[in-house]
């Protein structure tokens, strides 16, 4: 219905197009100047791109949680970033105690799997509790109400973790088998850990797709996200499916937490905020409610953010461009929402604009 | 809690469940360190600490819930005692574990001190029995309170609440009353000799009795008194009201004299939050646009004043303007930023708006921190050496002088927003909040209305930021973290969205109180978060709700709302 309406061209549209064009020009000129200077070698660009891909895989895993829940409840689960953090946090205790006892050195593969299992279980339990306590009583409330609840829950969880586990930084143990690099050709090489992250994320996303497409629960989830009332009439227990969705998203976030910490190692109670908001950006970028979009959006955002500051800003003579990577990510979010609010792949739910 | 159904038989399962949940909450309170930290402060000197107050309150609420799950009065009390006992037992298990095993590597607060606190320093078996006994007693008390008639229950809870509040604020009351000769005797009696913190036992009982009895009598006669007021002729009602305003005004003028330096500072911080709250109330409360980047305008106001007036000589601009000249420019730039944010988000629906505004707030903060803009606005070192302005012959530097500036700002914002509320524009905002499509169909210009909401909100925030700049004399990017936005949002929600008196209530609770209880700053956001979650479930309209909003949230046949909407 929307698209058939004849739009009047008004001042605000013109303004936005001018801003968009200016940004685009900035990007093109900046990239051109940077490349012309030849300050960076091909190896450096390659490293940045691979790093971006690894980071993007983590964003994609988290973004799936946002997108799955949004698809069903039309609600931004703000506390999802804390679900991610909780997995990383409790996974740390598993990993470090195994490291101390020497188990990790003897059975590294099993140790890593146990870390994942602990993290994913923690996240899942926390998400299910959160849904039960905070969100379920609010079904049917005006939309601002669950959103504010989610913001509150996010801060509550963050500071509960701070209270429980203290404020000092903790570092994940270094695991021998995922240290070092793999040579590709010439000077090009990839860090092992980045390969692990990319592969693990890809595996998990593949499993998710299979789950959503082919299992009974997955089909029920899609049905509920299409129309809750009709799904209930078809004999689907909507509440149960919602819990499953939360659990599924949370398990992915817990895994993402461990992968993130394999890369960056430091665990803190506030570590969820920035990846969480980036992942949400990724979900919107790909078209919220659309799992494939979330994956694509995550990867795109990761690479964009990794290459962007150097590529666009360095040539313009801006000092320390890496500090501005978050600005680039958020600006892109705004631009996407203005010019293509349904995201790259288009929102599966765009018709029922809530 | 209407969802808990009344049942005819005693429901063991439910009671057990409630007891376990309560116990888990108690364990959480202990493990995040609140018991230990809060035990440093007494509510009743030597008798009751704040940590125990919080734990007992949890027990009491557990008892209340357990009693509600039961049907008859007798089974209510039994149920609440059982639930309280389970609460105590869960806590005892925790204490036993903490005492036996060293888990401090993981849970930093599982310390021997905690064990000592929770066992009343009586050692392991005896202390644990006391803990369980206390759980049973306080839980049972909750059950008894639950079966009392409504008006007595309210009187008791209000009495307990006010007594706790006075105990908490003892230091402040003592300091501010110290200026009055005659009051010192009474203060000494109520609060002890001043070496201990908190009320004296006798003082606590007195406060409780007076407040409870007063409330009981008031609820009995309130309707009579207000009816008497209604009966008065129009003119004398009006003069009563003006008398009230006059007294309030006098009180406002004399407040800093009474309060002294520290408390005036607290009031000033609260005032800055009120100013921001009034602004965000227009954006979120009136127009229903959830803005999480509100701190950005605060930053714009503060930085503008900082850049224009500073004399540090380290920035590219070294104008050294007068504050009164910079202030309107700060506000104007904030408005401009408000419109600049408003234009791109015009067509966005509610939850996207939240994320984009949040991103906007972060962009401003990161830009302020970056090396890129460092020559102009100081980067992470911020702007130092912002001179205090003068007004006539007075230099506005001390909290007392700043107080008047802040009060003037608040009064201006209060005047503007209360006049706007029922104006044509205010009604358009509310229409927008309820349903955008219908509002547009009614001939409301969405673009102008939304932009005006952003602009007005930003203006108040900019004003608040400008005052902050001279209040601190220095500006750092870290003063403009997301937490400020969340703080302002929380205070609006707690007070009541769209309600102007609610902003004052919320600011006193969420900006004033934490400022007074500085030692608990660590738990500030934990409590905010929990408060937001609980408020949304129990009282989403806030403590001082706006009439229409309350009606809407409590409508019997409320349909699932679809707001936000397409443009």
């Amino acid at each position: 219905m929307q698209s058939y309406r004849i739009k009047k061209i008004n001042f605000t549209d013109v303004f936005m197009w001018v801003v968009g064009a200016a940004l685009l020009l900035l990007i093109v000129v900046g990239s051109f100047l940077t490349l012309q200077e030849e300050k960076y070698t091909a190896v450096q660009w390659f490293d940045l791109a691979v790093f971006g891909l690894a980071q993007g895989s983590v964003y994609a895993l988290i973004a799936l949680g946002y997108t799955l829940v949004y698809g069903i409840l039309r609600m931004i689960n703000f506390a999802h970033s804390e679900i991610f953090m909780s997995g990383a946090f409790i996974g740390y205790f598993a990993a470090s105690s195994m490291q101390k006892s020497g188990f990790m050195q003897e059975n590294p593969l099993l140790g890593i799997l146990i870390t994942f299992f602990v993290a994913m279980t923690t996240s899942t339990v926390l998400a299910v509790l959160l849904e039960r306590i905070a969100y379920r009583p609010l079904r049917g409330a005006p939309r601002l109400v669950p959103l504010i609840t989610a913001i509150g829950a996010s801060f509550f969880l963050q500071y509960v973790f701070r209270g429980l586990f203290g404020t000092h930084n903790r570092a994940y143990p270094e695991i021998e088998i995922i240290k070092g690099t793999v040579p590709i050709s010439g000077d090009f090489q990839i860090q092992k850990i980045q390969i692990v992250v990319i592969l693990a994320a890809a595996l998990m996303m593949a499993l998710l797709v299979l789950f959503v497409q082919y299992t009974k629960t997955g089909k029920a989830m899609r049905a509920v996200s299409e129309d809750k009332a009709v799904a209930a009439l078809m004999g689907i227990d909507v509440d149960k499916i919602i819990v499953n969705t939360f659990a599924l998203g949370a398990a992915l976030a817990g895994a993402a937490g461990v992968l993130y910490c394999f890369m960056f190692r430091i665990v803190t109670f506030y570590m969820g905020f920035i990846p969480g908001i980036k992942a949400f950006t990724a979900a919107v970028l790909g078209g919220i409610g659309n799992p494939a979009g979330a994956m694509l959006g995550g990867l795109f955002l990761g690479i964009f953010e990794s290459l962007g500051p150097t590529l666009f800003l360095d040539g313009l003579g801006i000092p320390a461009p890496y500090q501005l990577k978050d600005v680039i990510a958020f600006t892109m979010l705004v631009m996407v929402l203005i010019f293509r609010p349904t995201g790259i792949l288009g929102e599966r739910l765009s018709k029922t604009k809530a | 809690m209407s969802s808990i159904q009344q049942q005819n038989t005693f429901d063991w399962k439910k009671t057990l469940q409630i007891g376990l949940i309560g116990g888990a909450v108690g364990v959480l309170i202990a493990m995040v360190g609140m018991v230990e930290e809060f035990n440093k402060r007494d509510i009743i000197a030597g008798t009751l600490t704040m940590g125990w107050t919080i734990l007992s309150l949890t027990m009491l609420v557990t008892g209340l819930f357990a009693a509600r799950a039961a049907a008859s009065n007798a089974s209510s009390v039994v149920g609440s005692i059982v639930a309280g006992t389970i609460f105590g037992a869960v806590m005892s298990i925790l204490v036993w574990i903490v005492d036996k095993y060293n888990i401090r590597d993981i849970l930093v607060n599982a310390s021997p001190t905690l064990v000592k606190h929770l066992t009343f320093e009586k050692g392991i078996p005896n202390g644990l029995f006391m803990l369980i006994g206390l759980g049973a007693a306080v839980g049972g008390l909750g059950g008894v309170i639950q079966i009392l008639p409504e008006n007595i229950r309210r009187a008791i809870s209000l009495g307990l609440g006010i007594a706790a509040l006075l105990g908490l604020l003892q230091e402040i009351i003592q300091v501010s009353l110290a200026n009055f000769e005659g009051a010192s005797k009474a203060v000494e009696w109520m609060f002890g000799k001043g070496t201990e913190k908190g009320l004296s036992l006798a003082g606590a009982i007195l406060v409780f009795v007076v407040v409870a009895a007063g409330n009981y009598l008031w609820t009995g006669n309130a309707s009579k008194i207000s009816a008497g007021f209604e009966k008065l002729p129009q003119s004398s009602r009006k003069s009563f009201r003006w008398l009230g305003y006059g007294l309030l005004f006098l009180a406002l003028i004399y407040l800093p004299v009474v309060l002294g330096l520290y408390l005036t500072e607290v009031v000033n911080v609260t005032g800055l939050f009120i100013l921001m709250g009034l602004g965000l109330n227009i954006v979120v409360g009136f127009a229903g646009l959830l803005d999480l980047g509100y701190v950005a305008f605060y930053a714009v106001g503060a930085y503008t004043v900082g850049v224009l007036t500073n004399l540090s000589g380290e920035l590219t601009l070294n104008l050294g303007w007068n504050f009164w000249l910079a202030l309107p420019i700060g506000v104007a730039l904030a408005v401009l930023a408000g419109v600049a944010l408003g234009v791109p988000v015009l067509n966005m629906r509610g939850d996207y708006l939240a994320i984009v505004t949040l991103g906007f707030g972060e962009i401003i903060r990161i830009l302020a921190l970056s090396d890129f803009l460092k020559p102009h606005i100081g980067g992470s070192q911020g702007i130092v050496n912002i001179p205090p302005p003068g007004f006539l012959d007075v230099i506005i530097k001390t909290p007392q002088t700043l107080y008047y500036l802040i009060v003037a700002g608040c009064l201006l914002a209060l005047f503007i927003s209360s006049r706007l509320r029922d104006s044509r524009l205010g009604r358009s905002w509310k229409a927008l909040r309820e349903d955008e499509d219908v509002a547009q169909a009614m001939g409301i210009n969405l673009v102008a209305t939304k932009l005006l909401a952003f602009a007005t909100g930003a203006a108040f925030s900019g004003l608040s930021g400008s005052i902050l700049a001279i209040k601190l004399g220095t500006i750092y990017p870290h003063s403009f973290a997301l937490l400020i936005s969340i703080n302002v949002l929380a205070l609006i929600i707690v007070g009541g969205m769209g309600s102007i008196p609610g902003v004052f209530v919320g600011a006193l609770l969420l900006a004033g109180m934490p400022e007074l209880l500085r030692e608990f700053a660590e738990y500030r956001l934990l409590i905010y978060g929990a408060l937001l979650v609980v408020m949304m479930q129990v009282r989403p309209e806030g403590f001082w709700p706006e009439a229409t909003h309350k009606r809407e949230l409590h409508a019997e046949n409320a349909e699932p709302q679809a707001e936000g909407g397409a443009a």
Side-chain angles (χ1 to χ4, degrees):
Chain A
M1 205 183 86
Q2 286 286 310
S3 47
Y4 296 120
R5 203 169 64 191
I6 298 165
K7 253 189 162 177
K8 266 194 304 185
I9 294 176
N10 54 28
F11 166 73
T12 53
D13 287 345
V14 175
F15 176 74
M16 284 332 297
W17 279 105
V18 169
V19 170
L23 279 175
L24 204 65
L25 191 73
L26 201 75
I27 288 177
V28 171
V29 171
S31 315
F32 180 73
L33 288 174
T34 310
L35 292 176
Q36 206 183 26
E37 275 177 26
E38 290 183 357
K39 213 159 91 186
Y40 299 94
T41 62
V43 173
Q44 276 169 317
W45 288 119
F46 178 76
D47 284 347
L48 279 178
V50 175
F51 172 75
L53 200 62
Q55 191 169 317
S57 319
V58 175
Y59 289 161
L61 279 181
I62 310 171
L64 281 168
Y66 281 108
T67 244
L68 288 172
V69 168
Y70 193 92
I72 287 194
L73 286 180
R74 308 290 132 79
M75 156 200 160
I76 300 176
N77 180 13
F78 231 89
H80 192 61
S81 51
E82 267 51 63
I83 304 288
F84 158 81
M85 177 271 290
S86 73
F89 224 114
I90 306 298
Y92 158 81
F93 291 117
S96 72
S97 66
M98 281 189 289
Q99 180 85 357
K100 262 185 222 147
S101 68
F103 183 82
M104 190 69 105
Q105 286 85 335
E106 286 163 29
N107 314 300
L109 210 59
L110 192 62
I112 290 173
L113 284 180
I114 291 176
T115 309
F116 270 106
F117 178 75
V118 170
M120 288 163 87
T121 315
T122 312
S123 294
T124 309
V125 169
L126 195 62
V128 170
L129 278 178
L130 184 70
E131 194 274 334
R132 183 70 195 83
I133 295 170
Y135 300 150
R136 194 179 295 179
L138 301 176
R139 300 274 156 75
R143 287 188 64 175
L144 226 50
V145 170
L147 186 60
I148 291 164
T149 303
I151 295 171
S154 166
F155 279 91
F156 176 72
L157 288 176
Q158 234 181 71
Y159 282 81
V160 162
F161 269 75
R162 178 192 152 130
L164 289 179
F165 305 114
T167 51
H168 52 284
N169 286 348
R170 299 159 192 261
Y172 258 61
E174 288 206 47
I175 300 162
E176 276 307 316
I177 57 161
I178 52 173
K179 248 167 71 178
T181 55
V182 177
I184 298 187
S185 71
D187 287 339
F188 292 93
Q189 50 186 10
I190 305 181
Q191 287 183 17
K192 272 188 198 163
I193 179 66
Q194 289 172 345
I195 299 178
V196 171
V197 169
I198 294 167
L199 289 182
L203 175 74
M204 244 159 312
M205 286 188 264
L207 285 177
L208 176 89
V209 170
L210 292 178
F211 182 84
V212 172
Q213 283 301 326
Y214 298 110
T215 64
K216 210 168 175 183
T217 317
K219 281 179 192 162
M221 274 162 69
R222 283 184 288 145
V224 172
S225 82
E226 208 65 52
D227 191 324
K228 258 187 253 162
V230 175
L233 287 177
M234 298 295 129
I236 294 171
D237 183 348
V238 174
D239 270 340
K240 204 177 113 198
I241 294 302
I242 290 174
V243 171
N244 282 339
T245 311
F246 268 90
L248 194 63
L252 293 174
V258 175
L259 291 176
Y260 188 83
C261 287
F262 278 163
M263 279 205 292
F264 300 108
R265 301 204 39 222
I266 303 293
V267 193
T268 56
F269 69 95
Y270 52 82
M271 65 179 277
F273 176 66
I274 290 288
I277 196 135
K278 295 282 177 58
F280 181 78
T281 306
V284 172
L285 201 62
I288 196 154
N290 182 341
M295 299 176 206
L296 197 71
L299 294 179
F300 182 69
L301 182 68
I303 295 172
F304 195 81
E305 193 184 285
S306 168
L307 292 177
T310 323
L311 186 61
F312 309 148
L313 300 179
D314 204 303
L316 298 173
I318 289 172
Y322 201 69
Q323 286 175 341
L324 299 178
K325 74 183 167 85
D326 293 351
V327 173
I328 289 186
F330 290 132
T331 312
M332 187 168 70
L333 171 71
V334 178
M335 287 297 131
V336 168
L337 283 177
I338 293 162
F339 293 108
R340 197 175 159 78
T342 51
I344 302 172
L345 289 191
E347 191 175 335
R348 214 153 48 79
L349 307 149
S350 57
K351 264 179 288 175
T352 50
K353 260 198 169 181
Chain B
M1 295 303 103
S2 54
S3 61
I4 297 171
Q5 299 245 315
Q6 298 261 314
Q7 276 159 348
N8 287 324
T9 51
F10 188 70
D11 192 345
W12 281 105
K13 212 178 134 197
K14 193 113 221 171
T15 311
L16 185 74
Q17 203 184 352
I18 291 171
L20 285 177
I21 292 174
V25 174
V27 168
L28 192 69
I29 289 175
M31 292 325 287
V32 295
M34 277 165 103
V35 171
E36 214 173 306
E37 186 68 34
F38 287 16
N39 264 354
K40 288 178 189 156
R41 189 131 179 178
D42 282 355
I43 297 277
I44 301 173
T47 315
L48 184 64
T49 62
M50 198 178 142
W52 274 110
T53 311
I54 288 178
L55 269 187
S56 314
L57 209 63
T58 324
M59 289 174 186
L60 199 74
V61 172
T62 310
L64 275 176
F65 275 109
R68 274 186 203 182
S72 67
N73 285 348
S75 67
S76 288
V77 177
V78 175
S80 58
I81 290 176
V82 172
T85 314
I86 297 169
F87 186 114
V90 173
M91 291 292 289
S92 313
I93 295 172
L94 167 85
V95 174
W96 184 73
I97 292 175
V98 169
D99 187 54
K100 201 153 165 95
Y101 305 99
N102 182 11
I103 48 173
R104 287 203 78 176
D105 276 349
I106 297 176
L107 296 164
V108 286
N109 289 304
S111 63
T113 331
L114 181 72
V115 173
K116 220 164 80 185
H117 279 306
L118 287 179
T119 53
F120 310 90
E121 304 185 19
K122 292 283 191 305
I124 268 297
N126 294 337
L128 294 188
F129 291 130
M130 283 175 73
L131 188 60
I132 297 175
L134 183 78
V138 178
L141 188 67
V144 173
I145 291 177
Q146 170 67 27
I147 59 174
L148 288 175
E150 166 86 30
N151 51 356
I152 298 181
R153 198 191 330 160
R154 185 175 299 157
I156 288 180
S157 36
L158 195 72
L160 287 177
I162 299 282
L165 193 69
L166 281 182
L168 212 56
L169 303 182
Q170 163 262 351
E171 229 177 330
I172 294 116
I173 299 168
Q174 231 168 3
V175 169
S176 49
L177 286 184
N179 299 343
F180 300 100
E181 289 289 318
S184 63
K185 258 281 182 312
V187 167
E188 202 169 284
W189 185 77
M190 251 176 72
F191 294 114
K193 293 273 188 294
T195 44
E196 302 123 338
K197 289 187 169 183
L199 290 163
S200 69
L201 191 57
I205 294 170
L206 178 79
V207 168
F208 171 71
V209 170
V210 167
V211 172
N215 179 265
Y216 183 69
L217 293 176
W218 172 255
T219 39
N221 300 314
S223 54
K224 261 186 254 166
I225 293 171
S226 69
F229 183 72
E230 292 294 325
K231 253 185 252 155
L232 288 173
Q234 185 77 34
S235 60
S236 63
R237 258 198 288 173
K238 206 169 187 177
S239 49
F240 260 114
R241 202 161 289 146
W242 279 109
L243 187 71
Y245 287 144
L247 285 177
L248 207 65
F249 187 69
L250 273 181
L252 272 181
I253 289 193
Y254 275 106
L255 204 60
V257 182
V258 180
L259 290 181
L261 205 68
Y262 171 62
L263 281 180
T264 311
E265 181 65 30
V266 172
V267 173
N268 286 350
V269 173
T270 316
L272 288 181
F273 273 100
I274 289 176
L275 206 47
M276 279 199 283
L278 285 171
L280 191 62
N281 191 38
I282 289 178
V283 185
V284 180
F286 290 175
L289 305 161
L290 186 59
D291 183 348
L292 295 182
Y294 194 60
V295 72
F297 312 123
Y298 190 52
V300 169
Y303 267 101
T304 310
V305 167
V307 167
L308 291 180
T309 63
N310 91 91
L311 290 164
S312 63
E314 284 164 11
L315 308 179
T316 44
L317 281 176
N318 203 18
L319 300 170
W321 279 21
N322 189 329
F323 168 74
W324 301 108
L325 219 59
L327 178 72
I329 295 183
V331 174
L333 279 184
V335 168
L336 211 62
V339 174
L341 169 70
V343 169
V345 299
L346 278 176
N347 295 337
M348 274 171 212
R349 50 186 146 158
D351 26 18
Y352 279 10
L353 183 70
I355 291 288
V356 169
T357 48
L358 192 150
F360 181 72
E362 282 295 289
I363 288 179
I364 296 277
R365 191 180 63 85
I366 295 167
L367 281 179
L369 252 172
S370 69
D371 290 346
F372 167 47
L373 291 176
K374 192 170 178 186
H376 312 292
I377 59 173
S380 56
Q381 272 115 51
I383 300 175
V384 292
N385 210 346
I386 299 165
F391 183 70
L392 300 177
D393 287 338
V394 188
I395 289 179
I396 302 181
K397 194 173 183 185
T398 61
Q400 272 100 338
T401 45
L402 266 169
Y403 167 85
Y404 292 107
L405 180 62
I406 292 172
V407 165
C410 284
L411 286 179
L412 180 71
L414 178 66
F415 178 73
I416 293 176
S417 56
S418 58
R419 295 299 292 167
L420 277 178
R421 182 179 53 190
D422 298 318
S423 69
R424 186 186 172 85
L425 182 60
R427 282 176 283 130
S428 309
W429 281 334
K430 282 184 204 165
L432 198 73
R433 178 182 79 192
E434 302 308 329
D435 193 320
E436 255 181 47
D437 293 334
V438 175
Q440 194 171 29
M442 292 292 126
I444 291 172
N445 181 346
L446 287 187
V447 174
T449 314
K450 276 189 181 180
L451 287 184
L452 274 169
F454 277 117
T456 321
F460 291 174
S461 188
L463 179 63
S464 187
S466 307
I467 298 175
L468 178 85
I470 54 162
K471 177 172 173 292
L472 299 178
T474 46
I475 312 173
Y476 301 106
H478 298 290
S479 316
F480 306 104
L482 169 73
L483 300 183
I484 306 268
S485 302
I486 299 295
N487 204 332
V488 179
L489 182 70
L491 77 86
I492 291 180
I493 287 160
V494 168
M497 261 192 279
S499 142
I500 293 173
V503 173
F504 287 81
V505 174
L508 282 178
L509 280 177
L510 295 191
M513 283 283 275
E515 208 59 35
L516 289 176
L517 309 173
R518 266 273 134 121
E519 56 255 64
F520 311 132
E522 221 180 298
Y523 301 103
R524 188 173 174 165
L525 282 154
L526 194 157
I527 295 168
Y528 281 10
L531 201 61
L532 283 188
V533 174
V534 173
M535 281 298 281
M536 282 298 114
Q537 308 220 349
V538 183
R539 212 181 151 88
E541 73 274 21
F543 281 126
W544 194 316
E546 184 207 12
T548 45
H549 200 213
K550 186 178 181 181
R551 231 182 296 132
E552 177 190 319
L553 283 165
H554 284 274
E556 281 303 314
N557 49 355
E559 298 167 54
Q561 292 234 339
E563 53 177 84

